[in-house]
Amino acid sequence: MFVPTTPQELKELGIKQLDVIFITGDVYIDVSNDGTALLSKYLMSKGYTVGIISQPSIESDVDISRLGEPRLYWGISAGVVDSMVANYTSLNKPRRDDDLTPGGINNKRPDRAVVQYTNLIKRYYKSRKPIVIGGIEASLRRIAHYDYWTDTIKRSVLSDSKADALIYGMAEKALLEYTQAIENGEDFRDIRGLCYMSNEPKEGFIELPEYQEAKTDKDAFTRMFNTFYKNFDPVSAKGMYQKTDSRYLIHNPPQMHLTQKEIDEIYSLKFEHDAHPYYKAMGKIPALETVRFSITTHRGCFGECSFCAIAVHQGRRIISRSKENIIEEVCTFTKNKHFKGNISDIGGATANMYDMSCEKQCKLGACTNKSCVSPNACKGMNISHKPVIELLRDVRKVPGVKRIFIGSGIRYDMILADKQHGDEYLRDVLAHHISGQMKIAPEHINANVLRLMNKPDNTKLSDFIAKFKQINKELDKKQFLTYYFIAAAPGSSDKENNELKAFIDKEIQFAPEQIQIFTPTPCTYSTLQYYTGKSHCAGKSDLDGTDVFVEKKNSLKAKQKEILQAKHVKPDYSQKDSKHTTSKNKPNKHNHNKNNNSKDNRNENRHRRRKF
């Protein structure tokens, strides 16, 4: 069944007042990939009644009053993407498209949705039922943070929204404990994974530089961020507090990771694999076919790319579902009337991290002085593709399944690092799990830029390209690599960008479409680099805050992307000083016309969904 979203459904279910009402910036699609749908079904499985209101109008009470007032509390999320990222391009231009809105037009999600939805409730409901905020937007804005769209340091979104609590990260356990506390009239302020505002600091917690200091002093902001970043692993993290104006943000330690039994229970919940009819009637939902039959095999990512916030939101430790639980979900797909035999994606933030672990990380928490795979794989991390190979082979045997695609990102450096099963995994992927193209994300090729990104060095990319070609030849397949690159990342000036262009012309020999201009988003080291102009990076003591070039002019950011997407012309290497800048490969103006901009928006939307 769908989670109710209309008064008629409440009447049919005999519900006079819901326990919890969730507000979300996404259209309601009843799939496990949607956090609001998943949390709703989880609370319902624990005996609570829940409703969902998607993309309510902020101009009136027509939507927010549709289900009445909840008995316990309101829950608010901007959706699976930060609303500012969803609404604006990296050059701060409005996006026209939104894959998670009926009709595909970006006209439903307000800027700073968490604050707007909180204000909407307070405007029309005076009895003040508690409001708890969460999701990616609240999670990554839970402390003072750099906001790219205003070029300022903003307060915690909890302070700005004046909600009662903020639940960060993967929220099932914290939200259930919060629900039980509100139900029983108990104090919720000691719940792990939760933030709240207080008139006093919390004894025994780490003091962060106060908001006003972090706002005006980049060194103080850097100290704040480094302390925050070192305290998001639930095994080792300490609680923190930050003075914000006359009050204190209290940041409790993270919730403990789910056990495999607990994550299996969550993904055993029943879903309709469809958009709710109330919203489906409003227009075609572009994301529906992408997420309808997509499988999450695990959570977390130990890659720690500097521009990505997955580690902060989901954690560095990989929490994997059992193979049996995943197979059960696949079997439910085969009984669905919409299923045509194709699984659109199977994986997680990084597809090939399934069931990989580090014994030290499990016992003591993630290391704060080094990364798991960059610049090279740590010997303590069990990088074996054997479990994911066995999983994919068993899923392929399920009757009714025709094709299983891997839409999630694949770490090619981990394939190279796994000397025992890496080639076997790549061979299976190329033979069964792509449709002519395999997506990888080298992001750049310049050594310094890659170090700032916390990505593997360029030799690994060249080695992987050679291996990809070799296995394709053995399989007698004509398949291609699709590359994600980032233009205007910290450290990338014209010199580094031209180096990347030369690599594209020589090694790739076509103009890649999947090029994004770097967007500074809260809670990443790349954003810290962008704001401070200093070379800070997770787990890299050799990057000690020296100056780093940062391109901040939008016109020059756009030029970097334009150069990388210019029509490929085979370079003449017979001339020593060839600059590869003949008239034939001048920036192609077509890349920035209106039709292509719309296409770029859709590509960025898809990529961001997997990132988040």
Side-chain angles (χ1 to χ4, degrees), residues 211-274:
Y211 165 69
Q212 288 297 337
E213 184 184 7
K215 181 180 179 180
T216 56
D217 184 342
K218 290 184 178 180
D219 289 338
F221 184 86
T222 300
R223 291 197 307 274
M224 177 205 73
F225 186 80
N226 284 333
T227 301
F228 165 79
Y229 195 87
K230 291 177 180 178
N231 284 278
F232 69 77
D233 188 288
V235 178
S236 58
K238 307 294 183 183
M240 298 170 284
Y241 68 85
Q242 181 174 48
K243 187 176 183 182
T244 306
D245 301 328
S246 61
R247 305 189 75 201
Y248 294 87
L249 169 73
I250 309 299
H251 185 292
N252 289 345
Q255 266 287 345
M256 299 306 293
H257 287 304
L258 296 171
T259 64
Q260 186 172 87
K261 181 180 179 181
E262 288 171 331
I263 197 170
D264 281 356
E265 176 194 349
I266 289 167
Y267 284 97
S268 294
L269 299 169
K270 306 303 179 185
F271 295 89
E272 295 296 320
H273 303 286
D274 204 354

Side-chain angles (χ1 to χ4, degrees), residues 66-278:
R66 192 166 68 230
L67 300 179
E69 187 175 42
R71 182 175 68 91
L72 298 179
Y73 65 87
W74 301 87
I76 291 177
S77 168
V80 297
V81 180
D82 183 293
S83 61
M84 299 304 289
V85 176
N87 289 348
Y88 297 93
T89 70
S90 52
L91 300 181
N92 213 11
K93 296 179 180 179
R95 295 188 189 274
R96 290 184 292 275
D97 303 328
D98 189 337
D99 288 357
L100 287 161
T101 293
I105 302 172
N106 192 1
N107 60 359
K108 295 280 190 180
R109 192 193 312 268
D111 293 352
R112 309 195 187 282
V114 166
V115 174
Q116 294 260 37
Y117 291 155
T118 305
N119 290 341
L120 179 66
I121 292 169
K122 291 185 175 184
R123 191 184 315 148
Y124 292 106
Y125 289 95
K126 306 301 182 184
S127 62
R128 288 293 291 116
K129 292 292 184 181
I131 299 174
V132 57
I133 58 177
I136 194 74
E137 182 168 301
S139 182
L140 300 186
R141 295 174 180 268
R142 60 190 189 258
I143 63 168
H145 56 279
Y146 174 72
D147 182 76
Y148 170 63
W149 297 270
T150 57
D151 193 28
T152 61
I153 302 300
K154 296 184 74 68
R155 299 171 181 81
S156 165
V157 70
L158 180 60
S159 176
D160 282 347
S161 68
K162 295 180 173 57
D164 296 277
L166 183 158
I167 291 178
Y168 64 88
M170 310 307 283
E172 292 92 353
K173 293 174 77 170
L175 191 66
L176 178 59
E177 290 180 22
Y178 179 84
T179 307
Q180 292 169 338
I182 298 298
E183 167 81 41
N184 299 324
E186 298 171 349
D187 191 347
F188 61 80
R189 290 177 295 179
D190 287 331
I191 294 174
R192 296 177 69 109
L194 181 143
C195 301
Y196 64 94
M197 301 300 297
S198 172
N199 292 327
E200 296 181 352
K202 180 86 169 184
E203 186 177 351
F205 278 26
I206 298 172
E207 180 180 9
L208 297 173
E210 63 179 77
Y211 165 69
Q212 288 297 337
E213 184 184 7
K215 181 180 179 180
T216 56
D217 184 342
K218 290 184 178 180
D219 289 338
F221 184 86
T222 300
R223 291 197 307 274
M224 177 205 73
F225 186 80
N226 284 333
T227 301
F228 165 79
Y229 195 87
K230 291 177 180 178
N231 284 278
F232 69 77
D233 188 288
V235 178
S236 58
K238 307 294 183 183
M240 298 170 284
Y241 68 85
Q242 181 174 48
K243 187 176 183 182
T244 306
D245 301 328
S246 61
R247 305 189 75 201
Y248 294 87
L249 169 73
I250 309 299
H251 185 292
N252 289 345
Q255 266 287 345
M256 299 306 293
H257 287 304
L258 296 171
T259 64
Q260 186 172 87
K261 181 180 179 181
E262 288 171 331
I263 197 170
D264 281 356
E265 176 194 349
I266 289 167
Y267 284 97
S268 294
L269 299 169
K270 306 303 179 185
F271 295 89
E272 295 296 320
H273 303 286
D274 204 354
H276 191 287
Y278 178 81

